[in-house]
Amino acid sequence: MSIAELDRIRARLAARPRPVDLAARRARLDGLGADYALPPDVTVEPVSAGGVPAEWTGTDAADPARVVLFLHGGGYMAGSLDSHRHVVARAGREAGARTLALAYRLAPEHPFPAALEDALAGYRFLLDRGIAPERIALAGESAGGGLALATVLSLREAGLPPPRCLWLSSPWVDLTLSGATLDSKAAIDPLLSRAYLAELADAYLAGADPRQALVSPLDGDLAGLPPMLIQVGSAEILLDDALRLARAAGAADVPVSVRIWPHMIHAWHLFHPELEEGRAALAEAGAFIRSRLDGAGPP
C-alpha cells in the first residue's frame, strides 16, 4: 500500500483547491494531466471522429484491429484530451490496443444530450472504419463512466451492436445523488462533494429529468449489456454508485466484476505515474480488456 505516495497526492490537491471560475476549473484538471509526460514510444494522432474532436494513441505493439474508446471524467463540465492523455495511453498499452479518446462537448455550453450524441458519433466512427464491435472496449471514468453506460443503452435503442466489454472507473451513474456514500465518505474524498456534484448535475441536465436512464443509467434496463469491470476507491463519495451498479448489473444477469481499491481516491488512475495502485488498476483493466477482446470468458 503506497500510503506515502497517496499522502503526497492528497497534499498537492489540497494546495491547489478547485477554483470558482469555470475556465480556471478546466485548466486545473488539464494541469493534472500536463504534469505527466508520455513515454517516447507512444504515438498521438488527432482525428475527427464523426465530427467530434478526438485522438488516437498507440504503440508499435498495439493491435490495430482492437480499440479502447475512452470517455474522460470531469463531471460533464471539465476534462479533455489533455487531462487524460497519459491515462488513455497507459490503458491502451496494458490492453494491447489502440485507443480513441473523445473530446465530447461540455456543459453548461452544451448540456444533455450533447455529450451522449458525441459518444455515439465516436462509436459509429469506429464501426464505419471497419472496427468490429467485438474488438471494441468502451471505457469511461467518473462522468465518462456514466456516459459510457448511457452510450450502450442508446446503442441498443438504435439497433446497433454493442462493444465487447465495458471498463468503468469511479463511475457516476446516479445524477439524483441518492448514494449513501455521498455523505458517509465526504470527509475523506479530496476531489468531490455532494454540493459540487449537484452543481455539475444542474449544469448538465439543464432542466432534464435526472431519473431518466440516459443521464442516470443506474436506473436503466441493464439486461443484455456486455461484461463490465467496475473499479472504485474506498475513499470516494461515488463508492455507492459503483456498488449499486454492480448489484443492478448482476441482478440483470450481466457478467460484472467490481473491484474496491482500499484507500484510493476518486479517479486515482490519473496519478499512476507516481502511484503504484494507479498502475496496478490500469494493468487490471488492461488484462480484463485483453481477455474479452480475445474472446475468453462469457460473452
Side-chain angles (χ1 to χ4, degrees):
M1 177 66 219
S2 307
I3 292 295
E5 295 173 352
L6 189 58
D7 285 347
R8 285 194 294 270
I9 292 166
R10 282 182 169 276
R12 191 162 72 248
L13 291 171
R16 298 164 62 180
R18 182 181 297 109
V20 174
D21 177 73
L22 178 57
R25 286 182 179 181
R26 289 172 173 170
R28 175 179 179 263
L29 181 50
D30 285 353
L32 294 179
D35 289 342
Y36 305 117
L38 293 179
D41 65 331
V42 174
T43 60
V44 179
E45 178 189 350
V47 66
S48 175
V52 182
E55 64 183 26
W56 293 104
T57 61
T59 66
D60 288 342
D63 182 344
R66 301 180 179 205
V67 176
V68 178
L69 178 59
F70 188 86
L71 305 172
H72 65 74
Y76 297 108
M77 288 181 68
S80 68
L81 300 176
D82 291 337
S83 62
H84 285 73
R85 184 176 292 115
H86 65 298
V87 176
V88 176
R90 181 67 178 241
R93 183 188 299 278
E94 297 288 355
R98 290 189 296 165
T99 61
L100 181 68
L102 298 182
Y104 58 84
R105 287 171 291 171
L106 300 175
E109 300 94 332
H110 305 284
F112 173 80
L116 180 58
E117 291 170 349
D118 288 354
L120 289 168
Y123 188 82
R124 289 177 183 269
F125 167 79
L126 292 179
L127 298 182
D128 291 343
R129 290 284 294 264
I131 304 298
E134 61 268 19
R135 294 294 177 260
I136 300 173
L138 181 55
E141 173 211 274
S142 190
L147 182 57
L149 196 56
T151 299
V152 176
L153 296 178
S154 294
L155 291 172
R156 184 173 62 194
E157 290 181 1
L160 290 171
R164 175 63 178 171
C165 61
L166 287 165
W167 163 43
L168 311 175
S169 57
S170 301
W172 185 24
V173 293
D174 175 17
L175 272 64
T176 72
L177 306 183
S178 61
T181 51
L182 266 69
D183 298 318
S184 65
K185 295 289 183 178
I188 58 174
D189 188 327
L191 283 170
L192 300 180
S193 68
R194 175 185 285 277
Y196 181 53
L197 289 182
E199 178 186 345
L200 296 174
D202 286 345
Y204 181 58
L205 291 167
D209 184 354
R211 295 168 294 182
Q212 63 178 298
L214 295 184
V215 293
S216 293
L218 177 64
D219 293 327
D221 177 7
L222 306 183
L225 264 59
M228 64 179 73
L229 169 66
I230 304 169
Q231 296 176 320
V232 65
S234 69
E236 54 175 305
I237 64 173
L238 290 181
L239 173 60
D240 201 37
D241 274 43
L243 297 180
R244 288 182 295 156
L245 174 59
R247 287 197 298 269
D253 297 316
V254 175
V256 57
S257 299
V258 60
R259 177 76 183 279
I260 304 171
W261 287 74
H263 308 288
M264 289 301 105
I265 62 176
H266 183 68
W268 74 99
H269 306 67
L270 280 169
F271 309 102
H272 76 265
E274 56 183 311
L275 184 63
E276 178 183 348
E277 285 78 7
R279 296 188 293 276
L282 287 168
E284 177 183 70
F288 168 78
I289 292 170
R290 280 179 184 267
S291 71
R292 296 300 169 178
L293 299 191
D294 284 343

